[in-house]
């Protein structure tokens, strides 16, 4: 129809043309790399510090999008929150503890363990509660010493937390402790053992028998 078909032996795409194509591809790669690099720098140097700067805008016990964004930073937020626990006011410490307790990373346990040694009892109790909210068995070693405290409220709170974090292997130990006491305290130790067993039984159901949590 008047449009000549290109010959199969057409060699018009010369090495020079290939070189130009390579330069274009390299240029595009540089542009993509620059965009990615700029995005990464913005996130690291601007967005994340801005989020962390707003971490105390919510009072302890109050949760807004600001607090949720800090939690979403995960492990990246832990050093800043640890610094708050070391040098902040009691209110700032409690907020930092609250945020740490919502981050699902084992690295929060040592940070909360340090808060358990704070001279302010309110901070200590906040850290104990946060360890319970993590549900992480790594918290067990930090919580057990509290079960030897003389204060009944502190001791029983620690036992309750053990029911939330203990692995199944601790059930016998929890039951053994329950047999050493009477009354309400015995009931709390028994509850902790029972709760630990219930969590162990519920986990296969969550995993669907595959070892992976169902969504």
């Amino acid at each position: 129809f008047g449009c000549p078909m290109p010959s199969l032996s057409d060699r018009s795409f010369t090495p020079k043309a290939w070189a130009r194509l390579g330069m274009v591809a390299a240029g595009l790669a540089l542009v993509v790399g620059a965009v990615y690099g700029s995005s990464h720098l913005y996130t690291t140097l601007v967005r994340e510090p801005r989020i962390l700067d707003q971490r105390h805008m919510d009072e302890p016990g109050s949760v807004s999008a600001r607090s949720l964004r800090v939690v979403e930073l995960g492990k990246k937020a832990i050093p800043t929150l640890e610094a708050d626990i070391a040098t902040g006011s009691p209110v700032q410490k409690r907020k930092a503890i609250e945020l740490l307790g919502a981050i699902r990373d084992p690295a929060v346990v040592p940070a909360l363990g340090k808060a358990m040694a704070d001279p302010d009892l309110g901070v200590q109790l906040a850290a104990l509660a946060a360890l319970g909210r993590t549900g992480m068995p790594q918290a067990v070693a930090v919580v057990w010493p509290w079960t030897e405290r003389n204060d009944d409220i502190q001791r029983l709170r620690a036992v309750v937390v053990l029911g939330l974090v203990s692995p199944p292997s601790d059930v016998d130990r929890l039951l053994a402790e329950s047999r050493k006491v009477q009354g309400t305290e015995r009931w709390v130790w028994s509850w902790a053992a029972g709760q630990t067993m219930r969590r162990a039984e519920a986990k296969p159901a969550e995993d669907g028998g595959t070892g992976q949590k169902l969504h």
Side-chain angles (χ1 to χ4, degrees), residues 29-49:
L30 286 173
V31 170
V32 171
V35 171
Y36 174 80
S38 298
S39 175
H40 179 71
L41 285 174
Y42 172 79
T43 298
T44 303
L45 301 179
V46 179
R47 181 177 175 273
E48 291 175 359

Side-chain angles (χ1 to χ4, degrees), residues 47-130:
R47 181 177 175 273
E48 291 175 359
R50 185 181 295 164
I51 290 171
L52 289 171
D53 284 344
Q54 298 176 349
R55 65 193 181 279
H56 294 303
M57 295 182 114
D58 293 336
E59 294 289 324
S62 174
V63 178
S64 73
R66 290 186 293 260
S67 293
L68 294 176
R69 283 193 289 267
V70 174
V71 172
E72 287 170 359
L73 291 178
K75 201 166 189 173
K76 295 179 181 178
I78 294 176
T80 299
L81 298 174
E82 276 189 300
D84 287 342
I85 292 172
T87 61
S89 67
V91 172
Q92 290 174 334
K93 290 179 180 182
R94 289 199 298 274
K95 187 62 187 182
I97 288 166
E98 179 182 281
L99 293 169
L100 283 168
I103 295 173
R104 294 295 172 256
D105 191 294
V108 304
V109 173
L112 292 172
K114 292 177 184 176
M116 296 271 283
D118 192 272
D120 187 307
L121 180 59
V123 172
Q124 294 176 28
L125 293 174
L128 180 63

Side-chain angles (χ1 to χ4, degrees), residues 62-211:
S62 174
V63 178
S64 73
R66 290 186 293 260
S67 293
L68 294 176
R69 283 193 289 267
V70 174
V71 172
E72 287 170 359
L73 291 178
K75 201 166 189 173
K76 295 179 181 178
I78 294 176
T80 299
L81 298 174
E82 276 189 300
D84 287 342
I85 292 172
T87 61
S89 67
V91 172
Q92 290 174 334
K93 290 179 180 182
R94 289 199 298 274
K95 187 62 187 182
I97 288 166
E98 179 182 281
L99 293 169
L100 283 168
I103 295 173
R104 294 295 172 256
D105 191 294
V108 304
V109 173
L112 292 172
K114 292 177 184 176
M116 296 271 283
D118 192 272
D120 187 307
L121 180 59
V123 172
Q124 294 176 28
L125 293 174
L128 180 63
L131 285 168
R133 288 195 300 275
T134 67
M136 295 181 187
Q138 293 89 340
V140 167
V142 181
V143 177
W144 266 102
W146 268 57
T147 65
E148 299 175 3
R149 292 206 165 193
N150 293 325
D151 184 275
D152 290 347
I153 294 177
Q154 295 173 29
R155 186 171 64 254
L156 294 181
R157 284 191 184 195
V159 177
V160 170
V161 171
L162 286 176
L164 301 175
V165 300
S166 293
S169 57
D170 275 6
V171 169
D172 288 343
R173 184 180 180 186
L174 293 167
L175 290 174
E177 292 296 326
S178 74
R179 291 190 285 269
K180 297 177 183 178
V181 291
Q182 298 294 328
T184 301
E185 187 158 357
R186 184 170 196 170
W187 180 89
V188 176
W189 278 104
S190 299
W191 174 89
Q195 180 66 13
T196 300
M197 287 188 286
R198 281 189 290 274
R199 286 190 295 104
E201 291 167 358
K203 187 164 175 43
E206 279 186 4
D207 294 346
T210 65

